[in-house]
Amino acid sequence: MPPARLDRTILRLTGPDARSLLNGLLTQNLDLLDQAPVVYAGLLTPQGKVIADMLVWAAPDGVLIEADPARGPDLLRRLTLYKLRAAVAIEDTSATHMVLVSDVAFEGAAPDPRLPALGFRSIAPRADAPAVDLEALHAKRLALGVPDLAADAAAEEVFALEALFEELNGVDFHKGCFVGQENVSRMKRRATTRKKFCPIVFEGAAPSIGESVRAGEAELGSVRAVGAGRALALLRLDRALEALSRGGALMAGETEVRLAAPDWLILPEPPSAQDAAAS
């Protein structure tokens, strides 16, 4: 099967300062583009919350950024503000370019830098191509446990490590300063990321998006995306694990749910009995 078209915001940054500008803003080290065609990164608030996540591609005259169209206009505005006197030109090329995706490799494609199981993709000039099956794409990322931050969270709602930037290769802890870096480094150093996206599974009727997930009377988080027998929730995983270790159940409304954490998800330690009593 030929690759399918996925409509995304595509920004082109050109000029001698393009990469250095982004290196001072984004979570990932763009020097990696010397060895790989694409990296995953995010733009954060100074407090470390995610404004937009994106894929950044090497280009002969600079870089290309692909982002969700829901975040594209604000991302363009913010990058333009940050540019100041840097020798960088920023252009929205969404009307002339598209993203191609496929489960199998195709000419000019690169593996998704977040998770190889997400498949292959490339940026190409707009041409006739079948539109991607969005339902299949949704089911695939739910099966893998990968959040779509433009759909599963509000802008500036979640911290970078809550959004799985560490697990999905979206942050470099050693490259130096970027916007929000102090908070990201502190959460990593102190292992204080207790709330994260995590898949849950259930039988019967699916819980609604936004439904609270509870252990007894304690609210642990909420459902953010739903599929057949499987959903993605943003949860206090330490408290969920502690409740399960005591033989408790997790409920989303009237539906009992179970954690289905992928093996690559970094889980927090359950709170000690003393911590649980204090909270």
Side-chain angles (χ1 to χ4, degrees):
M1 291 182 60
R5 184 188 78 249
L6 178 63
D7 290 323
R8 301 268 280 170
T9 291
I10 301 174
L11 306 179
R12 180 187 294 276
L13 281 74
T14 56
D17 296 339
R19 189 181 292 189
S20 62
L21 170 69
L22 292 179
N23 251 339
L25 298 176
L26 304 184
T27 55
Q28 187 53 274
N29 185 352
L30 297 195
D31 290 341
L32 292 174
L33 294 177
D34 292 332
Q35 291 84 41
V38 58
V39 298
Y40 180 52
L43 179 65
L44 311 181
T45 67
Q47 295 75 33
K49 292 192 172 184
V50 180
I51 295 170
D53 67 332
M54 66 204 74
L55 296 175
V56 185
W57 294 79
D61 54 353
V63 298
L64 296 171
I65 292 175
E66 60 153 304
D68 192 280
R71 299 284 185 263
D74 187 51
L75 179 60
L76 174 60
R77 180 184 66 83
R78 290 174 185 266
L79 292 178
T80 301
L81 288 174
Y82 276 122
K83 183 173 77 72
L84 298 175
R85 295 185 178 87
V88 181
I90 306 174
E91 178 188 7
D92 186 341
T93 63
S94 308
T96 57
H97 288 75
M98 61 183 179
V99 174
L100 294 174
V101 296
S102 176
D103 287 337
V104 297
F106 59 94
E107 185 178 357
D112 194 301
R114 294 169 292 179
L115 203 65
L118 284 169
F120 298 83
R121 63 201 300 131
S122 72
I123 295 180
R126 281 200 174 269
D128 289 338
V132 72
D133 183 338
L134 293 177
E135 289 187 7
L137 203 63
H138 177 76
K140 180 178 181 179
R141 61 109 176 172
L142 282 188
L144 295 171
V146 176
D148 176 350
L149 297 181
D152 301 342
E156 303 184 33
E157 179 186 5
V158 294
F159 290 103
L161 300 190
E162 295 175 345
L164 311 189
F165 270 50
E166 181 174 7
E167 290 92 337
L168 298 175
N169 305 307
V171 59
D172 186 320
F173 295 102
H174 307 291
K175 74 167 186 141
C177 291
F178 56 85
V179 178
Q181 180 264 342
E182 182 178 350
N183 185 280
V184 173
S185 295
R186 182 168 59 248
M187 291 179 73
K188 169 66 172 174
R189 186 172 63 252
R190 298 180 180 176
T192 55
T193 311
R194 301 185 179 97
K195 180 170 68 173
K196 287 188 175 186
F197 285 99
C198 182
I200 54 176
V201 294
F202 53 87
E203 297 176 359
S208 301
I209 293 176
E211 186 82 65
S212 295
V213 178
R214 296 179 174 273
E217 296 300 314
E219 184 173 344
L220 307 181
S222 60
V223 176
R224 297 305 180 98
V226 174
R230 194 174 183 89
L232 196 66
L234 183 61
L235 297 174
R236 275 292 301 263
L237 286 175
D238 59 332
R239 294 179 177 173
L241 292 169
E242 193 272 338
L244 293 172
S245 72
R246 294 174 179 266
L250 305 182
M251 303 294 295
E254 300 300 315
T255 302
E256 183 174 352
V257 301
R258 304 182 305 277
L259 297 183
D263 57 9
W264 48 262
L265 183 65
I266 302 170
L267 295 173
E269 291 292 328
S272 67
Q274 182 177 0
D275 291 340
S279 62

